[in-house]
Amino acid sequence: MMEQELLRIFNEKREPMGTAPREEIHRQGYWHETFHCWFAKEEKGKIFLYFQLRSANKKDYPDMLDITAAGHLLADESVSDGTREVEEEIGIKLMFSELKLLDIIDYSVTAGELRDNEIAHVFLYPFHGTSSDFVLQKEEVSGIYRTELAAFKELIEGIRKDIVIDGFEEDSGDNRCVKQMTAGMERFVPHEDSYYKRVLELIEQKMAGVL
């Protein structure tokens, strides 16, 4: 029998309550810790955000655009161990010291039987590489796309109905295809608007050297 993945659980005051398996956590709606890493790159005075395209085989939010790399922190892990998610999902090996803490954000998403209450440790990674640096974990990620932060911000605020995003996707045979698509909010994982707005504001400030 496969060993169940245990996560630390908390009450609404962020007080520890022990541990529980991931499936039970999402079923009961326990608060738990996650690690979010946003890649952003500055080019010619513009900031670009990178999104992963979740695999079509994922149980939750298949074939939707999401945070560059993110995952749950296991019961025996510290926040710095979250960098393993980046290397596992998109093949970028980085040091925790290279990340910039944006915030620790509590937020909730309910979708069907999923009750996802997260204490999200949210980080920025100023990316200086190219698309060829990404090595995707096929079971989790099927592509990488990027768009201007300003455009995505207007999408969140309802100023635009959709935006153009550029990137690539890979098939099961590791064949990489450059793509461009028009995406509305329905293509993005439904994190709370307040989460997106807060993160974008902080990324702009960090990239400008304000924080």
Side-chain angles (χ1 to χ4, degrees):
M1 181 180 291
M2 189 173 179
E3 188 175 345
Q4 288 187 309
E5 207 171 58
L6 294 179
L7 313 179
R8 289 185 294 271
I9 58 175
F10 302 81
N11 62 23
E12 293 183 355
K13 296 180 180 179
R14 294 186 183 172
E15 296 170 338
M17 296 172 57
T19 63
R22 182 193 298 214
E23 287 192 5
E24 181 184 347
I25 287 171
H26 286 160
R27 186 173 61 250
Q28 300 292 339
Y30 294 131
W31 287 90
H32 57 287
E33 290 179 296
T34 55
F35 175 88
H36 295 182
C37 185
W38 287 88
F39 279 36
K41 184 177 184 179
E42 184 174 355
E43 290 183 4
K44 299 178 181 179
K46 296 179 180 179
I47 300 172
F48 290 86
L49 292 179
Y50 288 77
F51 296 87
Q52 66 164 256
L53 181 65
R54 295 169 65 87
S55 168
N57 297 319
K58 292 282 286 182
K59 179 181 177 182
D60 301 321
Y61 311 117
D63 203 34
M64 295 184 76
L65 296 158
D66 202 1
I67 300 160
T68 324
H72 293 82
L73 291 175
L74 304 180
D76 60 351
E77 290 186 314
S78 65
V79 176
S80 62
D81 291 319
T83 55
R84 68 165 172 76
E85 289 287 348
V86 183
E87 185 172 4
E88 287 175 3
E89 291 188 352
I90 59 176
I92 303 291
K93 189 171 184 177
L94 49 80
M95 294 171 46
F96 186 67
S97 59
E98 296 178 89
L99 302 180
K100 298 178 183 293
L101 176 64
L102 295 177
D103 203 352
I104 301 173
I105 301 175
D106 295 353
Y107 77 97
S108 305
V109 175
T110 300
E113 296 181 357
L114 174 71
R115 296 171 59 199
D116 194 14
N117 292 319
E118 297 188 11
I119 302 170
H121 299 264
V122 187
F123 292 87
L124 165 68
Y125 178 60
F127 184 54
H128 301 291
T130 66
S131 61
S132 62
D133 294 325
F134 294 101
V135 180
L136 307 184
Q137 182 184 22
K138 294 296 195 311
E139 306 82 33
E140 302 285 334
V141 183
S142 58
I144 297 288
Y145 283 88
R146 76 173 199 169
T147 190
E148 283 187 47
L149 183 150
F152 185 61
K153 189 175 183 180
E154 290 182 351
L155 183 67
I156 296 295
E157 294 173 347
I159 297 172
R160 297 189 186 202
K161 291 184 178 179
D162 51 51
I163 56 176
V164 175
I165 60 175
D166 298 283
F168 69 87
E169 294 182 30
E170 288 185 356
D171 61 23
S172 58
D174 291 335
N175 298 305
R176 182 171 292 195
C177 180
V178 175
K179 291 195 173 185
Q180 182 180 83
M181 74 163 83
T182 299
M185 280 307 300
E186 71 280 354
R187 285 307 310 269
F188 294 85
V189 171
H191 302 295
E192 293 177 339
D193 285 355
S194 59
Y195 167 85
Y196 277 128
K197 290 176 180 178
R198 175 66 174 158
V199 168
L200 296 186
E201 175 189 9
L202 291 170
I203 289 176
E204 284 183 309
Q205 292 175 358
K206 287 284 189 183
M207 294 295 284
V210 175
L211 297 177

